[in-house]
């Protein structure tokens, strides 16, 4: 048996994909293909079958993993091999970017820690950049080590775009899967799902397609201080997980703690994403530069958010930008936000079971939900926010909540609220003359409650009057307001209420 194994090892060492014939093995004997690193076995039926894939230990390429030696070049050699890599428990120090341009399959045996340790004060770079398909699952830990003061922001290229090197991990390959990662101390985003034109550094909308990022924990991400000279704005930026340009991305079971932002569905992303079971806790506001602190920023549409929320963000709970149309939010919440629980500038979206409590923890009173139509009184140019629905929302009354919902700005809005309760000091809704329908099911009756601006009721004729209890109100052809107990049978039915001109 020893002789046969030696023969097979020698024979297979230079022939990829080859397997021994049944005649070369006895039942129960093993063979190894040392190129493909496959383990083969002859079963009792006389067939030679693979027993599984044997990944290649990264130590074979000179990787040490003791947290002291610089493993950058050795890791580059390992990732360039195209082999399935087995990472043993250890701390892998890197001092420059690791860019993977071939498909990657990584397996973690124990906790695998990547520590970025470039010279303090140097330009920050991406720690791990998966430019092709990646399947990296296990107890992986990435420390970008880029807290304020250690590194400076990425350099711009001649086109004026900022290179995305401030991110700790970039996933750019279609159908990539990252599962079980922990990311901390990133300069910009902890994990970014996005592909870039490396001439202009603009994102490529729709790339990558169908990536999956799940069971992720991020801490203290987006904490690098940007300067206006490079990026046009200053302060702490970035979040735990960001979809920068990907389409059809699934982000599931993610938790962020004390990052500049929790989660980002950025402007320019390809949309069609599904965010589920993601929670941001204690996002941090840069009090010096006035940036960050928002738990959820959504700038792209055609996506769903299910069981997602935040606790104690220093700024807004949810910030929905105007391009984020055709989104659906189900069972989402904001608890203890520094400002509003939700500010939305986007129409054609539905919120089902939204729960907001203790809004404007940072001072008030102000409004739990702000529907911002821009222009005078709002942020940015005037816009239409039509087709916005809130189904069974619940706003808990606090001393800081002025209105449960406030429609602000000089643009137009069409908002529907069905069920729920929007408690506030000054009222549940401040409509400011905008279109609003509020239908509430209370003790079997449908009620409408409106405040602020004019209130319009469709119909208004005797065939379609306003109902107050069992009384009906309508306006006849002479402009007189009339009332009757029960349904009227003609325009002149009931009694005129005073004299109108």
């Amino acid at each position: 048996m020893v002789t046969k194994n030696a023969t097979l090892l020698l024979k297979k060492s230079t022939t990829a994909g080859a397997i021994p014939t049944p005649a070369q093995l006895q039942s129960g004997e093993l063979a190894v293909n040392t190129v493909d690193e496959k383990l083969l076995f002859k079963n009792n039926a006389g067939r030679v079958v693979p027993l599984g894939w044997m990944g290649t230990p990264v130590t074979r390429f000179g990787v040490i993993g003791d947290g002291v030696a610089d493993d950058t070049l050795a890791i580059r050699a390992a990732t360039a091999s195209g082999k399935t890599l087995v990472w043993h428990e250890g701390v892998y120090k890197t001092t420059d970017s690791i860019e993977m341009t071939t498909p990657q399959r990584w397996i973690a045996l124990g906790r695998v820690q990547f520590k970025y340790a470039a010279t303090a004060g140097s330009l920050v770079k991406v720690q791990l950049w998966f430019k092709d398909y990646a399947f990296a699952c296990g107890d992986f830990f990435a420390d970008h080590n880029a807290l304020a003061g250690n590194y400076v922001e990425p350099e711009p290229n001649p086109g004026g775009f900022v290179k995305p090197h401030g991110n700790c991990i970039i996933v750019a390959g279609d159908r990539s899967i990252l599962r079980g990662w922990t990311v901390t101390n990133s300069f910009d985003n902890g994990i970014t799902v996005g592909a870039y034109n490396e001439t202009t550094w603009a994102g490529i909308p729709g790339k990558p397609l169908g990536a999956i990022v799940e069971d992720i924990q991020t801490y203290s991400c987006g904490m690098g201080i940007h300067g206006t000279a490079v990026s046009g704005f200053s302060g702490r930026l970035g979040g735990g997980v960001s979809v920068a340009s990907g389409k059809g991305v699934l982000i599931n079971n993610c938790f962020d703690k004390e990052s500049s932002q929790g989660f980002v569905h950025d402007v320019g992303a390809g949309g069609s994403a599904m965010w589920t079971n993601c929670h941001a806790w204690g996002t941090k506001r840069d009090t010096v530069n006035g940036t960050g602190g928002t738990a959820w920023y959504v700038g792209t549409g055609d996506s769903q958010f299910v069981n997602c929320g935040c606790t104690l963000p220093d700024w807004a709970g949810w910030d929905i930008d105007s391009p984020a149309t055709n989104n659906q939010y189900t069972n989402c919440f904001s608890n203890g936000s520094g400002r509003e629980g939700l500010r939305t500038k986007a129409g054609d979206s539905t919120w089902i079971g939204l729960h907001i409590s203790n809004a404007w923890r940072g001072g008030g009173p102000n409004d739990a939900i702000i529907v911002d139509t821009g222009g005078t009184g709002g942020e940015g140019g005037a816009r239409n926010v039509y087709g916005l629905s809130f189904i069974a929302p619940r706003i808990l009354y606090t001393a800081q909540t002025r209105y449960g919902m406030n429609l602000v700005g000089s643009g137009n809005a069409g908002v529907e609220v069905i069920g729920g309760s929007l408690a506030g000091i000054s009222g549940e809704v401040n409509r400011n003359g905008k279109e609003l329908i509020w239908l509430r099911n209370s003790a079997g009756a449908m009620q409408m409650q409106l405040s602020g601006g004019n209130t319009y009721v469709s119909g208004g004729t005797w065939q379609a009057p306003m109902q107050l209890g069992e009384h009906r109100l309508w306006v006849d052809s002479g402009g007189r307001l009339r009332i009757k107990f029960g349904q009227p049978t003609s325009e002149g039915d009931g009694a005129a209420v005073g004299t109108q001109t």
Side-chain angles (χ1 to χ4, degrees), residues 68-109:
V68 178
D70 185 354
D71 283 324
T72 303
L73 296 181
I75 292 176
R76 285 175 176 172
T79 57
S81 71
K83 296 181 181 295
T84 294
L85 299 178
V86 176
W87 299 83
H88 296 280
E89 185 167 343
V91 178
Y92 299 84
K93 175 182 173 181
T94 62
T95 55
D96 206 343
S97 291
I98 307 295
E99 297 183 7
M100 283 68 72
T101 58
T102 60
Q104 299 289 309
R105 294 171 180 83
W106 290 9
I107 300 171
L109 298 180

Side-chain angles (χ1 to χ4, degrees), residues 1-11 24-25 29:
M1 181 174 176
V2 174
T3 304
K4 282 192 174 183
N5 285 342
T7 302
L8 289 170
L9 288 171
L10 178 61
K11 179 178 180 181
Q24 291 176 296
L25 292 177
E29 285 190 327

Side-chain angles (χ1 to χ4, degrees), residues 48 114 148 168 187 190 192 291-292 484 488:
V48 177
F114 297 97
C168 180
F187 194 92
T192 288
T291 55
K484 180 186 178 181

Side-chain angles (χ1 to χ4, degrees), residues 85 87 104-110 112 133-140 176-181 212 214:
L85 299 178
W87 299 83
Q104 299 289 309
R105 294 171 180 83
W106 290 9
I107 300 171
L109 298 180
V112 176
Y133 169 81
F135 178 91
C137 302
D139 190 6
F140 287 102
S176 292
I177 301 175
L178 260 65
R179 182 183 296 125
W181 284 73
I212 298 175
E214 60 184 358

Side-chain angles (χ1 to χ4, degrees), residues 243 246-251 265 270-275 301-305:
V243 177
K247 183 173 183 179
V249 179
L250 172 63
I251 308 96
H265 193 49
S272 303
M274 170 67 84
W275 295 76
D302 302 315
S303 299
Q304 295 190 48
F305 300 78

